[in-house]
Amino acid sequence: MKQGGERIVALTCYDALFARLLDGAGVDILLVGDSVNQVLAGADTTLSATLEQMIYHTRSVRRGAERAMVVCDLPFLTYQVSREEAIRNAGRVMQETGCHAVKLEGGQPVAGTVRALVDVGIPVMGHLGLTPQSVHALGGYRVQGRDQKTAERLQADAKALEQAGAFAMVLELIPAPLASQISKALAIPTIGIGAGPACDGQVLVLPDMLGLNDRFTAKFVKRYAALAEDVREAVKLYAAEVREGRYPGPEHSFPT
Ligand code: KIV
């Protein structure tokens, strides 16, 4: 798609219901992000996401996806300890979920692991910039690569991931000109989130862009719907109708 100048459309997805909807709407990549731990499980960070949790959600997404590529995030500490553990854990994800690829965070320090996974036949997507599994080391959820030194490191990280065999990479929360430089320097596609318009594709966290997670606001998130409001209104109407005896009516009941 990059070679053909076609933009890649990605969204996070955590269950079969939405997977069917997104797949049917033509989304190219369904990313089962470890953001599920925050968005659906209510945790403060992604750090406590487990392999079991990711396998459960990825298996569900895979059941709902006929055409889209399904990518599963490897959670914190499932790929950093050793290459052997990374292969075992990523292999489990591939075997038990039927997904097409895994994603992991980091640059040069994980390039050897990316190579080891690719060598055993596991497609790997990288993730650079704001890497949420390192949120405490980064001092918070903030834009990365604003200074020359970090920008140069991110460029070298991107090259290292490509050379290690990654097939694509997420660029999260980095200045648009830097994302543009990295995207131009790579043959593999970049998928941006808060990284400007020059990336080869875009990803957003689904409940954020649907306005379902209406407590979360960020400059880079465009809301394409206001589902939280729709849900609140629908549930209030249902509650009122039940309380007032207006639901169920004869049309919802079985006479015999
Ligand atoms: O976990 C996630 O949802 C992600 C995206 C934000 C890229 O990694």
Side-chain angles (χ1 to χ4, degrees):
M1 289 176 79
K2 177 164 180 158
Q3 280 164 11
E6 244 185 289
R7 291 276 172 88
I8 298 166
V9 178
L11 281 170
T12 71
C13 189
Y14 313 121
D15 60 36
L17 177 68
F18 274 107
R20 261 195 299 277
L21 292 172
L22 303 189
D23 191 83
V27 173
D28 300 309
I29 298 177
L30 305 182
L31 171 63
V32 190
D34 56 359
S35 55
V36 68
N37 197 47
Q38 293 172 282
V39 180
L40 294 195
D44 285 340
T45 70
T46 59
L47 292 174
S48 54
T50 65
L51 200 61
E52 275 62 35
Q53 198 181 348
M54 296 310 300
I55 287 173
Y56 170 84
H57 287 286
T58 306
R59 202 186 274 142
S60 305
V61 169
R62 188 64 189 84
R63 286 187 194 125
E66 282 179 17
R67 187 199 47 82
M69 171 187 246
V70 176
V71 180
C72 173
D73 256 352
L74 291 181
F76 183 55
L77 282 195
T78 61
Y79 58 92
Q80 294 94 336
V81 176
S82 69
R83 286 179 196 169
E84 289 71 22
E85 261 192 55
I87 292 174
R88 196 157 286 122
N89 288 329
R92 244 193 95 190
V93 166
M94 301 295 289
Q95 280 185 322
E96 295 181 27
T97 70
C99 74
H100 305 105
V102 297
K103 174 166 86 56
L104 54 78
E105 297 182 7
Q108 293 161 92
V110 296
T113 302
V114 171
R115 170 50 63 199
L117 293 174
V118 171
D119 282 349
V120 297
I122 300 176
V124 180
M125 178 182 274
H127 186 155
L128 292 175
L130 186 274
T131 43
Q133 292 174 12
S134 312
V135 62
H136 300 305
L138 297 173
Y141 296 99
R142 49 175 71 142
V143 178
Q144 303 295 308
R146 280 189 153 143
D147 60 282
Q148 184 69 17
K149 195 169 151 220
T150 319
E152 281 170 10
R153 203 204 63 227
L154 284 170
Q155 285 170 322
D157 282 341
K159 268 284 167 209
L161 288 177
E162 179 171 65
Q163 278 160 8
F167 71 89
M169 72 187 68
V170 167
L171 298 179
E172 179 165 358
L173 268 194
I174 68 173
L178 175 60
S180 173
Q181 278 165 19
I182 293 175
S183 303
K184 285 191 187 118
L186 300 179
I188 61 170
T190 58
I191 313 291
I193 173 164
C199 293
D200 304 299
Q202 295 291 325
V203 63
L204 279 175
V205 170
L206 182 68
D208 297 346
M209 64 82 80
L210 291 179
L212 196 51
N213 184 20
D214 64 352
R215 286 184 178 179
F216 181 77
T217 53
K219 183 178 180 184
F220 62 88
V221 176
K222 178 169 175 184
R223 283 200 185 149
Y224 286 84
L227 293 196
E229 202 41 43
D230 290 349
V231 170
R232 272 192 290 266
E233 287 310 311
V235 173
K236 274 188 206 160
L237 182 59
Y238 166 74
E241 290 196 354
V242 168
R243 288 186 182 118
E244 291 159 17
R246 285 191 286 129
Y247 176 82
E251 70 275 32
H252 309 114
S253 305
F254 304 96
T256 54

